[in-house]
Amino acid sequence: FIDLLIQGHMGELNPEQKTYLGYAQEGVQQLMRIVEDILFLTRSDSGQFEMRMEKVNLLPLAKQALRGLKPQAEKASIVLNCDILSPSPMLHADPQRIMQVLNNLLTNAIKFTPPGGLVTLRARPYDERFVLISVHDTGYGIAPDDRAHIFERFYQANHHLQSKMGGSGLGLSIAKLIVEQHGGHISFESAVNEGTTFYFTIPLYPES
């Protein structure tokens, strides 16, 4: 119904009405994402975690993730950068789940980077079996007290300057679960007021 109102199907709206309906639409979308995350973790806890492994070209997947988050980045005055060599690595992975990891890490990077900052998605060889994918930002960094809890469910590091994008504190715990189900590992490096890099490994397709 919000969509119908915004599109003008119920009559012309004035600019102020459109603005407040836009806020309502963003709130609904955020609630939907939180519910989807909780359902994902519930299914995982009950042993219903499903992965459909296939041969995946990383570069198109990365570009799709960046393209989907471009409006959020522009709203926050953040530049998104893709640093993946071509031809890109072929992964043995579930593309939907890897997209989920990329979205979660990129969204976090945008959220904790001040206007004018840069978020870079990068991929480099790790060893003969894995590729290393990283998301680097020029943001606020993670405080030392928060670092031990960063992958805990519902944990949210607070910063008085962070952009108002909301969140549930589930994104990083879901990313960790997915990466580990692929046989990889995830970690991060951070310096206060200098930025953060989250990086994770994903298996290469055998013939690669």
Side-chain angles (χ1 to χ4, degrees):
F1 285 116
I2 291 174
D3 288 338
L4 290 173
L5 286 167
I6 290 175
Q7 292 165 15
H9 293 292
M10 305 302 162
E12 191 65 29
L13 301 175
N14 64 48
E16 186 177 17
Q17 290 170 327
K18 287 183 178 179
T19 297
Y20 284 110
L21 280 171
Y23 293 151
Q25 188 180 48
E26 289 179 8
V28 169
Q29 291 171 347
Q30 182 181 340
L31 285 172
M32 288 174 64
R33 287 192 294 269
I34 292 171
V35 170
E36 288 169 359
D37 286 347
I38 292 172
L39 288 173
F40 177 87
L41 290 170
T42 301
R43 287 193 295 267
S44 173
D45 290 344
S46 61
Q48 299 177 27
F49 190 102
E50 295 182 3
M51 289 203 306
R52 298 178 181 177
M53 306 292 281
E54 58 185 80
K55 187 177 183 180
V56 180
N57 189 333
L58 175 60
L59 185 56
L61 203 67
K63 287 185 175 180
Q64 182 182 345
L66 291 168
R67 189 164 54 247
L69 289 169
K70 187 177 180 181
Q72 291 184 25
E74 289 179 344
K75 184 178 178 180
S77 299
I78 304 296
V79 175
L80 297 178
N81 181 42
C82 184
D83 181 15
I84 298 178
L85 302 177
S86 183
S88 65
M90 301 301 294
L91 310 179
H92 188 219
D94 182 326
Q96 181 181 348
R97 299 304 184 202
I98 297 303
M99 177 65 76
Q100 202 171 354
V101 174
L102 294 176
N103 279 334
N104 288 351
L105 295 181
L106 288 167
T107 298
N108 251 32
I110 294 169
K111 178 179 177 180
F112 290 101
T113 299
L118 176 67
V119 172
T120 302
L121 175 57
R122 179 177 288 117
R124 293 291 184 268
Y126 182 71
D127 59 23
E128 68 278 3
R129 292 181 55 238
F130 288 87
V131 64
L132 182 71
I133 302 170
S134 64
V135 174
H136 172 74
D137 65 60
T138 58
Y140 308 121
I142 301 171
D145 291 345
D146 291 321
R147 293 174 188 175
H149 309 285
I150 210 68
F151 291 109
E152 293 177 6
R153 295 182 186 183
F154 298 107
Y155 187 83
Q156 289 182 295
N158 294 312
H159 194 287
H160 68 286
L161 294 175
Q162 79 178 72
S163 56
K164 299 177 181 178
M165 290 180 61
S168 63
L170 291 173
L172 291 177
S173 58
I174 287 175
K176 184 174 187 289
L177 174 64
I178 293 172
V179 169
E180 290 177 348
Q181 287 292 324
H182 278 81
H185 72 270
I186 185 170
S187 190
F188 66 92
E189 296 175 353
S190 185
V192 176
N193 295 323
E194 293 183 17
T196 300
T197 301
F198 277 90
Y199 52 88
F200 62 97
T201 56
I202 291 294
L204 292 162
Y205 196 75
E207 67 183 33
S208 298

